[in-house]
């Protein structure tokens, strides 16, 4: 095994390009030409491919670093076999080797000379053709970014092209007016194809050429190494050619574009996701603090446009009050996810009740330091007593479920543990002890969760409570509850016993300070000191506001409650 350092190849003279995404980590196996990281200069973002195959043993850069040509990226451990046939040195791109004489003065010069410009009759128009884009195959013309009649500056983007490896802009070779398009969006084009005619605003005084085919000569005469991103901005002397922003050779997805228009796209696989956006959009996204992975692109092939970013930010700012509340309390806002990107979805409006419940839950969850304790009540005797009352219940036209017993037991425990029957007031300065015992009962309805309140539970008989449970549950499901029916609670019982589950952590129904969660009773073997006995155990969870109730308070309340349910005779004491 040998070590090989991979460095930044010629990136078109760009200095201090920022590492915006690292695509590999230590331990990863990489192939030749596999993208290692994404660099972004002020003009382009480009993926830097590996010049070797092997295991990444050391990463020498991190996101945010600024790199120029020759900077070390990482160290690969490569097999002897691979060393025997090493990849071309990464920092000696072919383009440099063939840089034409006379270009030394041009700092960005890194490319071979342009292909000869077609001789053309003297005229004031020029034809801009597709430059060398690193492949002889046709690529898609995905966007035309200027219209006939537009006056462009040199370097303004004219079209966006996309191969299956890279997307790139073709910039205007010089300033001028667009006269005629010779292609249309969606068409396939290849090196040398005529794109448009334009009339330069300043005629370049060279070689009798005022009407010519002008192209950008990226790597035209010296094919780039497979693992070397193509150089950018060659500056041939005459005529000023379209300085096409670099085409990627085979595997190197390299794109460059103007700052003003996000027409240059680049695919940057990060964490398996493909973000398709140009440098200007990426820059803007960083300024906004927006994760581009969350933004849906409306441009061709889903490319993210500046407009998409603005729309995303607008939505985020005017988002749901829950998000705003979260932001106001310093909690990072939840990103909005476009689930449609992963498959078919259906979007429906939430009911008012659902939204209200959501807001209440979140308010309670964020404001109340919750503690939840768990226990089981042995309700074997309670169930036997309940069964013995079944006929009587029927004759009364009623039904006796465990709920009235639970309510009654809560009332006794609330009476004996008054802090559970209190609420915080005056910003936490005072406690309000209530001399009444009203217990809310969570009811699951098709429209959402509602909590009607049963008043004076301590003063009502089991039969009265049974009737009220039935009546309130029916009114809740028929949406016949009045606001007053849901006010004035001191404590809440949430029973999922008829639905199922071993336990859950209920959220305190503020401004109350306690809530009991009831799960499904089950017969379980219980050791009585001599043998296991089949007993019916009711799983209970008690959540409380730890600003008001401490563990001792909670334990005492819960212990009494469990005792009362385990021996219902004590309910009458
Ligand atoms: N264990 C086992 N069985 C139970 C039980 C328990 N803990 N609680 C009730 N049951 C049984 C009842 O005995 C009844 O059986 P029978 O018909 O054989 O007697 C059956 O389950 C149905 O009871 P019920 O649900 O009609 O009546 P209830 O008095 O137990 O509950 C009500 C009434 C309104 C609380 C309940 O219908 C309900 O809506 N529960 C959901 C509450 C909820 O959504 N909480 C979550 C809030 S937080 O998201």
């Amino acid at each position: 095994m040998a070590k090989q350092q991979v460095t930044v190849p010629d990136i078109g003279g760009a200095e201090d390009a920022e590492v915006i995404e690292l695509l590999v980590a230590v331990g990863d196996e990489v192939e030749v030409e596999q993208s290692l990281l994404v660099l972004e200069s002020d003009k382009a973002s480009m993926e830097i491919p590996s010049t070797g195959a092997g295991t990444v043993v050391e990463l020498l850069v991190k996101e945010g670093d600024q790199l120029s040509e020759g900077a070390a990226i990482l160290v690969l451990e490569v097999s002897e076999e691979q060393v025997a046939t090493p990849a071309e040195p990464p920092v000696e791109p072919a383009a440099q080797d063939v840089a034409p004489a006379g270009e030394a003065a041009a700092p960005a010069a890194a490319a071979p000379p342009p292909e000869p410009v077609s001789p053309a009759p003297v005229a004031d128009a020029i034809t801009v053709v597709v430059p060398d884009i690193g492949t002889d195959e046709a690529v898609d013309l995905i966007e035309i970014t200027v219209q006939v009649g537009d006056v462009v500056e040199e370097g303004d983007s004219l079209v966006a092209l996309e191969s299956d490896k890279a997307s790139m802009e073709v910039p205007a070779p010089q300033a001028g007016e667009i006269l005629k398009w010779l292609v249309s969006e969606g068409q396939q084009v290849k090196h040398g194809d005529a794109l448009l005619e334009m009339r330069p605003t300043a005629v370049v005084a060279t070689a009798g050429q005022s009407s010519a085919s002008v192209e950008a000569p990226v790597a035209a005469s010296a094919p780039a190494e497979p693992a070397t991103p193509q150089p950018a901005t060659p500056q041939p002397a005459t005529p000023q050619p379209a300085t096409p922003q670099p085409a990627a050779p085979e595997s190197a997805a390299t794109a460059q574009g103007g700052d003003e228009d996000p027409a240059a796209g680049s695919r940057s696989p990060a964490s398996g996701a493909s973000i398709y956006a140009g440098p200007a959009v990426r820059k803007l996204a960083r300024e906004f603090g927006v994760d581009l992975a969350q933004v849906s692109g409306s441009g061709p092939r889903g490319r993210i446009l500046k407009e998409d970013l603005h729309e995303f930010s607008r939505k985020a700012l005017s988002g749901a009050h829950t998000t705003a509340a979260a932001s106001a309390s310093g909690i990072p806002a939840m990103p909005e996810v476009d689930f449609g990107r992963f498959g078919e979805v259906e979007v429906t409006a939430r009911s008012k009740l659902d939204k209200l419940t959501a807001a209440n839950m979140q308010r309670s969850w964020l404001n109340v330091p919750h503690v939840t304790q768990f226990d089981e009540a042995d309700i074997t005797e309670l169930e036997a007593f309940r069964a013995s009352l079944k006929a009587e219940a029927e004759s009364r036209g009623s039904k006796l479920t465990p709920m009235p017993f639970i309510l009654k037991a809560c009332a006794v425990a609330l009476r004996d543990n008054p802090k559970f029957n209190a609420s915080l007031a005056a910003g936490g300065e005072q406690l309000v002890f209530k001399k009444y015992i009203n217990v809310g009962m969570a009811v699951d309805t098709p429209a959402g969760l509602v909590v009607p309140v049963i008043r004076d539970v301590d003063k009502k008989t089991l039969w009265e409570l049974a009737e009220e449970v039935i009546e309130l549950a029916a009114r809740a499901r028929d949406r016949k509850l009045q606001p007053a029916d849901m006010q004035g609670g001191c404590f809440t019982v949430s029973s999922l016993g008829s639905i199922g589950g071993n336990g859950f952590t209920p959220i305190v129904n503020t401004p109350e300070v306690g809530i009991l969660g009831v799960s499904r009773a089950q017969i379980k073997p219980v050791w009585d000191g001599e043998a296991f006995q089949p007993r019916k155990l009711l799983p209970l969870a008690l959540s409380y506001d730890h600003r008001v109730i401490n563990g001792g308070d909670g334990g005492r309340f819960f212990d009494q409650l469990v005792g009362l349910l385990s021996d219902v005779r004590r309910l009458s004491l």
Side-chain angles (χ1 to χ4, degrees):
M1 287 291 196
K3 299 258 174 76
Q4 179 187 338
Q5 194 176 70
V6 179
T7 57
V8 176
D10 181 350
I11 48 176
E15 294 285 332
D16 298 326
E18 188 181 341
V19 180
I20 55 168
E21 283 162 335
L22 274 175
L23 307 175
V24 293
V26 170
D28 284 0
E29 294 285 337
V30 299
E31 301 291 328
V32 173
E33 299 180 20
Q34 182 177 331
S35 293
L36 302 175
L37 51 78
V38 181
L39 285 183
E40 190 176 84
S41 69
D42 57 353
K43 285 284 183 195
S45 36
M46 57 206 113
E47 293 180 13
I48 303 300
S50 177
T51 49
T55 309
V56 179
V57 289
E58 192 178 358
L59 265 178
L60 304 170
V61 295
K62 59 183 183 316
E63 286 183 5
D65 283 358
Q66 298 198 318
L67 308 181
S68 303
E69 181 182 339
I73 297 174
L74 51 77
V75 179
L76 287 179
E77 196 167 66
V78 294
S79 67
E80 298 301 336
E81 192 185 358
Q82 286 163 332
V83 174
T85 53
E88 291 294 317
V91 291
E92 293 178 19
Q96 274 194 340
D97 298 338
V98 298
E103 283 191 24
E115 285 189 356
V117 168
S118 313
V122 173
D124 63 354
I126 61 169
T127 302
V128 177
V129 301
V130 176
D132 185 342
I133 47 176
T135 174
D136 288 328
E137 287 175 17
V139 299
D140 293 335
L141 192 163
I142 58 168
E143 196 172 359
I144 287 178
T145 48
V146 290
Q147 306 302 319
V148 169
D150 285 357
V151 174
V152 297
E153 293 299 319
E154 179 191 330
D156 280 357
S157 172
L158 300 173
V159 294
L161 305 178
E162 188 183 61
S163 71
D164 56 352
K165 294 287 185 189
S167 49
M168 62 216 91
E169 280 184 352
V170 176
Q174 54 199 90
E177 182 190 351
I178 306 300
L179 298 177
K180 187 179 177 186
W181 276 103
L182 305 171
V183 288
S184 52
E185 278 181 9
Q187 192 177 324
Q188 289 213 312
V189 293
K190 59 181 183 343
H191 179 202
D193 284 355
L195 290 173
L196 59 82
E197 287 175 5
M198 67 180 290
R199 181 188 294 117
T201 48
V203 176
V204 180
T206 51
Q209 177 228 314
S210 55
S211 174
S213 293
V214 181
E215 72 156 330
V218 174
S221 59
E225 294 175 25
T228 306
Q230 291 303 295
T233 58
Q235 302 286 323
T238 319
Q240 190 71 0
T243 330
Q245 306 307 323
E250 300 292 318
S251 68
T254 305
Q256 293 195 0
D259 269 342
E260 297 311 310
D261 192 293
S266 70
R267 251 175 229 289
S268 304
S271 316
S274 179
I275 297 168
Y276 185 22
V281 169
R282 288 175 182 275
K283 192 168 170 226
L284 197 61
R286 282 205 305 280
E287 284 166 13
F288 284 3
V290 169
D291 175 6
L292 277 179
Q294 308 298 331
V295 182
S296 318
S298 64
R301 300 196 180 187
R303 195 149 55 101
I304 302 171
L305 308 178
K306 273 185 180 172
E307 293 73 14
D308 300 323
L309 207 53
H310 286 299
E311 179 61 10
F312 180 87
S313 305
R314 191 189 61 72
K315 274 193 189 156
L317 287 173
S318 63
H321 58 278
T322 51
T323 303
S327 303
S329 56
I331 297 168
M334 302 285 285
E336 201 164 317
V337 179
D338 176 9
F339 298 101
R341 287 194 303 160
F342 311 112
E344 196 186 343
V345 295
E346 184 189 338
V347 180
T348 61
R350 297 186 75 188
S351 72
K352 252 185 170 173
L353 188 57
D354 266 352
K355 289 190 280 184
L356 188 68
T357 303
N360 288 340
M361 291 295 177
Q362 189 169 25
R363 185 177 54 204
S364 178
W365 181 256
L366 291 172
N367 281 299
V368 175
H370 281 73
V371 172
T372 305
Q373 289 182 210
F374 303 90
D375 208 340
E376 287 177 320
D378 183 336
I379 58 166
T380 315
E381 314 301 341
L382 184 157
E383 285 295 88
F385 181 48
R386 196 168 70 88
S388 71
L389 293 171
K390 198 170 177 198
E392 187 181 340
E394 278 169 10
S395 68
R396 284 171 173 266
S398 186
K399 183 177 169 189
L400 202 56
T401 65
M403 183 58 96
F405 295 91
I406 294 166
L407 290 168
K408 198 75 188 167
C410 287
V412 175
L414 287 169
R415 181 197 67 198
D416 294 350
N417 298 270
K419 269 169 105 180
F420 269 89
N421 208 44
S423 284
L424 270 177
E429 296 294 313
Q430 295 171 344
L431 270 185
V432 178
F433 288 92
K434 298 154 205 170
K435 302 296 178 188
Y436 48 84
I437 296 179
N438 298 341
V439 179
M441 174 183 69
V443 181
D444 179 37
T445 81
L449 177 69
V450 287
V451 187
V453 173
I454 302 175
R455 280 158 220 288
D456 300 320
V457 176
D458 54 324
K459 298 183 181 134
K460 290 179 176 162
T461 66
L462 284 170
W463 293 121
E464 286 169 333
L465 290 172
E467 273 169 34
E468 209 161 338
V469 164
I470 293 165
E471 191 246 326
L472 279 177
R475 280 172 55 207
R477 288 176 183 132
D478 294 344
R479 303 178 121 179
K480 297 249 168 64
L481 290 175
Q482 299 295 313
D485 294 325
M486 292 176 278
Q487 292 167 356
C490 307
F491 183 83
T492 294
V493 174
S494 175
S495 172
L496 292 175
S498 62
I499 298 170
N502 286 330
F504 60 105
T505 54
I507 295 177
V508 170
N509 186 17
T510 51
E512 299 164 12
V513 295
I515 181 168
L516 182 73
V518 182
S519 295
R520 169 165 286 174
Q522 275 187 307
I523 295 178
K524 290 183 181 173
V526 175
W527 184 251
D528 68 0
E530 290 180 358
F532 282 105
Q533 302 295 339
R535 306 294 293 180
K536 195 158 199 179
L537 301 183
L538 179 68
L540 299 169
L542 176 72
S543 294
Y544 50 82
D545 184 339
H546 209 354
R547 294 172 303 172
V548 178
I549 314 278
N550 60 35
D553 300 326
R556 279 183 287 276
F557 177 94
F558 211 10
D559 201 43
Q560 183 179 9
L561 185 72
V562 168
L564 289 165
L565 290 171
S566 301
D567 184 358
V568 283
R569 293 170 308 171
R570 304 181 69 83
L571 282 176
S572 55
L573 296 178

